[in-house]
Amino acid sequence: MLKRNICIANIQAGYLFPEIARRRREFAASHPDAKIISLGVGNTTEPILPHIDEGLVEGARRLGTVEGYSGYQDEGLLSLREKISAVFYRNTFTAEEIFISDGAKCDIGRLQLLFGAGTKVAVQDPSYPVYVDGSVLIGAASSWNGTGYGGIVYLPCTAENRYFPDLSLLPADALVYFCSPNNPTGAVASRKQLESLVQAAREKGCIIIFDAAYSEFIRDDGLPRSIYEIEGSKSCAIEVNSFSKPAGFTGVRLGWTVVPRDLKYSGGESVNADWARIAGTIFNGASNIAQAGGLAALDSEGLREVRQLTDFYLGNAALIRSALQALGISCIGGDNSPYIWACFPGRKSWDVFAEILETCQVVTTPGSGFGPAGESFIRFSAFGHRADVEEACSRLSRLKI
Ligand code: PL4
């Protein structure tokens, strides 16, 4: 018989979001009349807007014609890679530096193959659980010690440091995950902060995996949307991004990863060449229908729809944030991000999660699921129909804070 992979044995309990779904199902089974509203998982709810939808439909229609048919597209449509470079990076990358994916999460998982089991990993604490769980699965982190995983360096992001980590804690030669706008805190790093991150990474021989999945929610023009706005970042950063939230593609599945040619390992080898090798070996490309939709999302009408959709969710976020503030609950986020991070001092996150579910029949996400520094926090997601969000906000007043 084969032995179980020790990395899987090391991983703690269930993945956060299925665990929330399990508790929701359990509550629904014992409260069959409850009208449960989810402000939990960050899953889009609004229909894909017409121009982008037509791009998808047209992409599917073309497959039914001799002239328009296409098969495997391993590295992604050239036109889409060029369009991404033009729209997001002022044409500063060649198509060979942009890799089309089936979503940011999938590439976040695969990227660790570049570095392997012995890699030191540093994460913002709290952070999107895939960074840590993915590191455990590849063997870069060891077993759970009660508050965190051995081998992971947690960089606390708290009210005291205004949700930007103390970079003196960053170890040398580490892979560092950084997400801005941040999931779950909703904090957005300033240009100065990202400059200090890039400087620290370069000095310490680190590589940053910059997760920009929420960049289209930034409304403050002074805030950077990409790590590549920072000088020197091409030699120390990979960026992942996604069509999921800006275009409503959570179910369609489309994203991209930028691996600059300037990025090198300590031995001088090209990270870009290795990523092309890995992607070519274990990934067969994103759906060509999804890519047609992605192209539509990046022309002028598509970008207008992206703005309309993200404005809608930001409108939800503003409602949630003011409902919480009216109750005297201190929170951040929600202005340049679809997440609101609310503090319940002295309480356990899972207890507050249970209380909000019981009292308001609203599903949230417990902050402790994002890391030790998330304890006593609750994340509210702004992805929901407007009427549901309004109803959830009015029910929150039932809480006895
Ligand atoms: C639930 C910082 C959501 N089942 O859709 P993708 O793969 O292009 O992007 C996923 C992603 C990447 N980076 C960040 C994210 O927050 C997300 C999506 N996160 C959330 O509620 O935190 C959806 C989570 C999904 C999952 O496990 O990712």
Side-chain angles (χ1 to χ4, degrees):
M1 291 283 277
L2 284 176
K3 277 201 204 132
R4 186 183 189 202
N5 180 346
I6 180 71
C7 303
I8 296 176
N10 275 340
I11 206 154
Q12 166 78 358
Y15 181 57
L16 175 64
F17 296 105
E19 176 58 21
I20 291 168
R22 188 190 67 74
R23 293 187 191 213
R24 176 191 171 138
R25 278 195 305 277
E26 215 172 77
F27 179 80
S30 56
H31 299 76
D33 297 329
K35 183 185 177 291
I36 300 173
I37 297 172
S38 177
L39 301 181
V41 63
N43 199 359
T44 47
T45 53
E46 303 311 295
I48 293 173
L49 288 164
H51 176 76
I52 300 175
D53 198 44
E54 185 49 36
L56 291 166
V57 170
E58 182 51 29
R61 214 179 276 127
R62 272 203 303 274
L63 292 178
T65 67
V66 173
E67 320 72 57
Y69 179 77
S70 57
Y72 290 126
Q73 301 269 335
D74 295 18
E75 58 290 298
L77 285 178
L78 179 62
S79 52
L80 181 58
R81 289 183 285 144
E82 288 174 343
K83 192 75 183 166
I84 287 171
S85 181
V87 170
F88 296 98
Y89 308 109
R90 291 180 290 111
N91 283 314
T92 54
F93 290 109
T94 63
E96 289 68 37
E97 294 169 291
I98 294 173
F99 298 79
I100 304 300
S101 72
D102 51 350
K105 176 180 176 179
C106 318
D107 264 2
I108 292 164
R110 289 186 287 252
L111 277 165
Q112 287 248 14
L113 289 172
L114 286 166
F115 308 101
T119 311
K120 259 179 275 173
V121 172
V123 292
Q124 288 161 293
D125 175 20
S127 65
Y128 181 43
V130 179
Y131 313 146
V132 168
D133 288 13
S135 303
V136 178
L137 287 175
I138 198 137
S142 58
S143 56
W144 182 253
N145 62 24
T147 48
Y149 284 101
I152 299 271
V153 176
Y154 293 85
L155 305 171
C157 296
T158 60
E160 288 68 43
N161 59 22
R162 304 177 82 184
Y163 298 96
F164 186 80
D166 172 359
L167 294 174
S168 69
L169 301 176
L170 187 64
D173 308 325
L175 185 64
V176 50
Y177 287 92
F178 199 94
C179 178
S180 179
N182 188 264
N183 175 16
T185 66
V188 187
S190 67
R191 188 168 304 276
K192 227 170 158 192
Q193 288 172 328
L194 288 190
E195 280 167 1
S196 66
L197 175 67
V198 166
Q199 190 187 341
R202 285 164 60 104
E203 283 169 8
K204 297 186 183 200
C206 296
I207 289 183
I208 302 164
I209 295 186
F210 189 80
D211 188 339
Y214 299 100
S215 58
E216 288 307 298
F217 290 86
I218 293 179
R219 290 293 176 271
D220 180 341
D221 287 338
L223 293 170
R225 291 163 171 240
S226 163
I227 191 72
Y228 301 122
E229 291 182 36
I230 309 301
E231 209 182 317
S233 57
K234 281 189 176 181
S235 64
C236 67
I238 291 170
E239 180 163 295
V240 291
N241 208 323
S242 171
F243 287 84
S244 281
K245 309 296 156 66
F249 276 21
T250 44
V252 173
R253 309 303 307 145
L254 189 67
W256 72 92
T257 294
V258 184
V259 186
R261 284 207 189 283
D262 291 355
L263 187 65
K264 300 278 162 45
Y265 299 102
S266 56
E269 309 91 336
S270 162
V271 178
N272 175 286
D274 278 4
W275 184 240
R277 177 72 171 90
I278 290 172
T281 306
I282 60 163
F283 180 55
N284 251 344
S287 146
N288 38 20
I289 301 173
Q291 293 186 73
L295 270 171
L298 298 185
D299 66 21
S300 57
E301 182 56 14
L303 289 170
R304 197 195 57 72
E305 291 185 346
V306 163
R307 181 75 180 201
Q308 184 183 334
L309 188 64
T310 48
D311 273 347
F312 173 83
Y313 290 124
L314 285 169
N316 284 349
L319 290 174
I320 297 166
R321 189 171 160 147
S322 35
L324 291 167
Q325 285 173 338
L327 296 170
I329 297 169
S330 113
C331 51
I332 67 149
D335 37 10
N336 292 289
S337 139
Y339 296 119
I340 298 100
W341 188 238
C343 187
F344 295 82
R347 306 277 312 275
K348 292 270 182 210
S349 301
W350 276 111
D351 293 346
V352 183
F353 167 90
E355 183 181 332
I356 298 175
L357 185 55
E358 284 282 342
T359 316
C360 311
Q361 297 168 359
V362 171
V363 177
T364 57
T365 306
S368 56
F370 297 100
E375 190 62 279
S376 299
F377 284 84
I378 288 287
R379 188 195 77 174
F380 289 84
S381 150
F383 296 103
H385 299 309
R386 181 59 52 85
D388 288 342
V389 170
E390 285 170 348
E391 170 67 16
C393 288
S394 103
R395 288 190 203 164
L396 288 175
S397 61
R398 296 178 197 161
L399 288 173
K400 305 259 178 298
I401 306 297

